[in-house]
Amino acid sequence: MPGRPSILFVTDLAYQARGRRYCDEDIFLSSRLRNDFDIALCHPLDAAALMDAFDAVVVRNSGPVLHYRKEYDAFRNQAAARGTRVYNPLSGRADMAGKQYLLDLTAAGYPVIPTIDRPEDLGLLPETDQYVVKPKAGADSIGLDFVSRDRLGGLAHGDILVQPRIDFRYEVSFYYVDDAFQYALHAPDPHRRWVLEPYRPTEADLGFAHRFIDWNTLDHGIQRVDACRTQEGHLLLVELEDLNPYLSLDQVDVPTRDAFVTSMTTSLHRFLGISPRT
């Protein structure tokens, strides 16, 4: 790997996300990473064709892969066959692999919103006026719906997940690089998910979040642990995003943003097996 390491930075700058500007975040990140790496940006549909010319592929705000499932699967298969370094590594067990992990974590007794995918398991969920149903292959709230208990029997079980609708105080997200906590943000208004404010986590909060980071066993990469605070004060996992988590870097102060970039840069150097330049 002579000279500066090269990175193919995968992003969809034109993707329209509700309440977020993906393009701004990736323009900022790539501009800062350019201090240490030779970087080229590309659309996710072009990644497989271009990746051989780079030392690593960094997948960032590339949008829900369900919009290009066939091409994404081909990218994964080719990267595995060629030994391409992909960051985050493709061994993630959470959203990267679909929503099965919510079922697995429920069965294992983790503090997660109880989740089922079979009608015979409905008794495992607490009774409530409404239930959340969403596709197993969903993302970004696509296909999410709220239904009453009497409507659950007519759903295509096996292809969807069912959860009780939780009356929560707020949502909170914990952001990690590798296994190191970086910062936390929360949405004080439950109806405005992406109107975020800085959040100072307690030791108990960090212990909660780190359980899921440990469970996922990723040696490198960026992860976001999304949780909700119940009316009783408990945290429950909503999502463990390990594919292309949006980081809301525009919602943190400059020192926190700079510290995140430093952590990501150091992580990428370790991932590539090289020493940071001095």
Side-chain angles (χ1 to χ4, degrees):
M1 193 182 300
R4 283 160 47 106
S6 60
I7 287 177
L8 184 64
F9 192 101
V10 180
T11 178
D12 183 356
L13 296 176
Y15 180 71
Q16 299 295 313
R18 185 173 56 187
R20 294 150 286 167
R21 284 183 57 85
Y22 278 10
C23 57
D24 288 351
E25 180 164 287
D26 280 354
I27 291 168
F28 165 76
L29 262 183
S30 59
S31 69
R32 293 291 298 273
L33 291 174
R34 189 166 285 113
N35 292 329
D36 284 72
F37 308 97
D38 292 335
I39 289 188
L41 276 62
C42 83
H43 188 277
L45 294 180
D46 300 323
L50 298 174
M51 62 186 180
D52 286 350
F54 295 84
D55 296 316
V57 176
V58 172
V59 178
R60 283 305 307 134
N61 292 317
S62 51
V65 298
L66 62 88
H67 295 319
Y68 52 95
R69 185 82 241 179
K70 180 180 177 182
E71 292 84 356
Y72 176 70
D73 289 342
F75 162 74
R76 286 180 60 99
N77 293 336
Q78 291 178 45
R82 300 173 188 174
T84 304
R85 294 184 177 94
V86 181
Y87 184 100
N88 289 355
L90 298 175
S91 57
R93 303 165 65 192
D95 267 12
M96 188 183 297
K99 300 292 185 183
Q100 175 65 37
Y101 73 97
L102 293 172
L103 298 165
D104 297 339
L105 290 171
T106 296
Y110 278 76
V112 57
I113 295 177
T115 307
I116 64 168
D117 67 342
R118 304 186 305 170
E120 56 265 36
D121 292 336
L122 188 57
L124 300 177
L125 300 183
E127 290 199 24
T128 183
D129 292 337
Q130 284 192 315
Y131 293 83
V132 178
V133 297
K134 51 191 175 184
K136 275 188 178 179
D140 210 15
S141 298
I142 297 169
L144 183 146
D145 197 9
F146 301 102
V147 302
S148 60
R149 191 179 185 91
D150 58 4
R151 286 182 55 202
L152 290 175
L155 298 173
H157 290 272
D159 296 326
I160 65 164
L161 301 177
V162 180
Q163 300 173 321
R165 187 171 187 177
I166 301 295
D167 179 22
F168 58 86
R169 298 183 195 171
Y170 56 81
E171 290 188 74
V172 57
S173 295
F174 306 89
Y175 302 79
Y176 283 78
V177 174
D178 299 345
D179 63 351
F181 170 73
Q182 302 297 310
Y183 57 90
L185 295 168
H186 80 305
D189 184 345
H191 303 292
R192 304 173 72 191
R193 169 67 180 95
W194 295 105
V195 179
L196 299 169
E197 297 179 2
Y199 178 85
R200 180 173 295 180
T202 65
E203 287 300 318
D205 293 341
L206 294 178
F208 164 90
H210 209 93
R211 284 188 67 183
F212 298 102
I213 299 298
D214 287 343
W215 172 85
N216 203 16
T217 66
L218 275 181
D219 292 331
H220 304 278
I222 299 168
Q223 297 179 73
R224 193 185 74 220
V225 180
D226 293 337
C228 64
R229 178 80 68 185
T230 68
Q231 295 297 335
E232 295 74 27
H234 306 300
L235 284 178
L236 294 176
L237 182 77
V238 175
E239 181 177 62
L240 177 55
E241 177 58 79
D242 61 354
L243 173 57
N244 50 7
Y246 183 68
L247 303 171
S248 298
L249 288 172
D250 59 335
Q251 301 298 312
V252 300
D253 58 27
V254 171
T256 301
R257 197 178 309 147
D258 289 344
F260 180 88
V261 172
T262 298
S263 294
M264 185 177 177
T265 301
T266 301
S267 171
L268 282 167
H269 280 295
R270 285 198 299 261
F271 180 60
L272 292 168
I274 58 177
S275 300
R277 68 182 183 90
T278 57

